[in-house]
């Protein structure tokens, strides 16, 4: 693709524009595969579903521009190409993420994946797939656990040994200090279950999985679920959280 600022989605009459100020950075992040990236999204649903295809293309455009702008703000004028094993799932996930609370995480993940500096945040090919399973409440809980863990630097690495795991009250307090409204108790339990399932947190108490339906195989709606009594962000979870934050200058 030439270094102009346009890419088509192969659907009649639709044209997606990449801002000229960030177009070259986007091209470097995608290794010149921008047109193929738009084509992959554009063909995902076939003909006759133009609205959904165009929405995905616009989401992808916004996330690409956001990632490129993060690179520019961090002084990363010459990012390295992002590996296809990371780029492909990133394109798939970023093009369907409509929650504004998670947009920065998607943009940061791509920007960090293209950061050539040794001191930059490390990115793993699994992170894009994990981010697809994260919702806004999980983001709040993970950030709270990251902050709690960072406040006591000297205890990191021995938390699992001594059994110091933040409880629900500590998590609620940390989320409030961050300026967010804490999730409901039921949503907090679900977030704890999901973060533990994804390997981003480790649990310090027994997980109780009651109910039927999706969890028990029956036809009745599941009963309220209880998550681990206490959880702690894992080393893998810290790396994931840091990779989903804007790269520093």
């Amino acid at each position: 693709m030439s270094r102009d600022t346009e890419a088509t989605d192969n659907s009649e009459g639709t044209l997606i524009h990449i801002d000229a100020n960030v177009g070259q950075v986007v091209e470097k992040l995608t290794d010149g595969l921008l047109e193929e990236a738009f084509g992959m999204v554009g063909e995902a649903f076939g003909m006759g579903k133009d609205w959904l295809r165009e929405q995905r293309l616009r989401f992808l455009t916004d996330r690409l521009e956001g990632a490129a702008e993060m690179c520019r703000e961090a002084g990363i004028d010459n990012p390295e190409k992002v590996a296809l094993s990371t780029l492909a799932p990133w394109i798939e996930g970023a093009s369907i993420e409509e929650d504004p609370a998670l947009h920065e995480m998607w943009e940061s993940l791509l920007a960090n994946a293209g950061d050539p500096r040794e001191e930059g945040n490390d990115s793993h090919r699994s992170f894009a797939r994990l981010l697809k399973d994260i919702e806004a409440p999980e983001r709040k809980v993970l950030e709270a656990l990251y902050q709690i863990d960072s406040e006591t630097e000297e205890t990191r690495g021995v938390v699992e040994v001594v059994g110091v795991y933040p409880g629900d009250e500590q998590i609620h307090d940390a989320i409030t200090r961050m300026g967010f409204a804490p999730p409901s108790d039921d949503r907090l339990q679900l977030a704890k279950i999901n973060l533990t399932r994804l390997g981003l947190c480790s649990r310090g108490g027994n997980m109780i999985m009651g109910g039927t339906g999706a969890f028990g195989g029956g036809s009745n709606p599941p009963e309220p679920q209880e998550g681990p009594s206490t959880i702690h962000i894992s080393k893998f979870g810290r790396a994931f959280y840091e990779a989903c934050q804007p790269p520093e200058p």
Side-chain angles (χ1 to χ4, degrees), residues 140-161:
K140 294 178 184 178
V141 173
L142 187 66
E143 183 172 348
L145 291 168
Y146 182 89
Q147 297 300 334
I148 292 171
D149 187 51
S150 298
E151 288 170 1
T152 318
E153 182 82 23
E154 64 273 13
T155 66
R156 190 179 307 154
V158 298
V159 172
E160 295 187 14
V161 176

Side-chain angles (χ1 to χ4, degrees), residues 76 126 229 238:
I76 308 171
S126 67
S229 59
R238 286 189 65 88

Side-chain angles (χ1 to χ4, degrees), residues 191-207:
K192 289 159 65 177
I193 291 172
N194 194 38
L195 291 172
T196 305
R197 177 184 70 86
L198 296 173
L200 301 176
C201 291
S202 56
R203 60 190 178 96
N206 292 327
M207 183 181 291

Side-chain angles (χ1 to χ4, degrees), residues 23 51 61 76 78 102 147 152 156 166 169 173 198 246:
W51 178 85
T61 300
I76 308 171
N78 190 30
L102 299 174
Q147 297 300 334
T152 318
R156 190 179 307 154
E169 185 175 350
D173 289 345
L198 296 173

Side-chain angles (χ1 to χ4, degrees), residues 106 126-134 198-200 236 240:
W106 282 102
S126 67
F127 286 172
R129 295 181 176 88
L130 290 173
L131 187 52
K132 289 172 61 178
D133 285 342
I134 296 291
L198 296 173
L200 301 176
F236 187 69
F240 171 80

Side-chain angles (χ1 to χ4, degrees), residues 54-208:
E54 186 163 335
Q55 283 293 100
R56 291 193 68 180
L57 287 166
R58 294 194 183 283
F59 283 149
L60 179 58
T61 300
D62 289 344
R63 301 293 75 76
L64 285 167
E65 290 186 341
E69 189 59 38
M70 283 183 180
C71 288
R72 290 168 58 87
E73 291 177 356
I76 308 171
D77 296 323
N78 190 30
E80 62 185 14
K81 69 176 182 179
V82 177
L84 187 60
S85 58
T86 295
L87 183 61
W90 184 91
I91 290 172
E92 180 183 357
S95 66
I96 60 175
E97 184 55 70
E98 57 185 347
D99 190 341
L102 299 174
H103 287 170
E104 184 179 80
M105 296 184 75
W106 282 102
E107 294 166 2
S108 300
L109 186 57
L110 186 65
N112 281 308
D115 188 350
R117 301 172 300 179
E118 292 186 2
E119 67 273 17
N121 293 324
D122 292 331
S123 185
H124 191 274
R125 66 168 62 187
S126 67
F127 286 172
R129 295 181 176 88
L130 290 173
L131 187 52
K132 289 172 61 178
D133 285 342
I134 296 291
E135 295 187 1
E138 278 94 55
R139 175 217 162 189
K140 294 178 184 178
V141 173
L142 187 66
E143 183 172 348
L145 291 168
Y146 182 89
Q147 297 300 334
I148 292 171
D149 187 51
S150 298
E151 288 170 1
T152 318
E153 182 82 23
E154 64 273 13
T155 66
R156 190 179 307 154
V158 298
V159 172
E160 295 187 14
V161 176
V162 300
V164 180
Y165 284 71
D168 291 357
E169 185 175 350
Q170 289 175 276
I171 294 173
H172 275 283
D173 289 345
I175 292 175
T176 300
R177 290 197 305 271
M178 286 154 35
F180 298 122
S184 67
D185 288 341
D186 285 346
R187 196 60 185 82
L188 176 58
Q189 302 313 314
L190 184 59
K192 289 159 65 177
I193 291 172
N194 194 38
L195 291 172
T196 305
R197 177 184 70 86
L198 296 173
L200 301 176
C201 291
S202 56
R203 60 190 178 96
N206 292 327
M207 183 181 291
I208 304 173

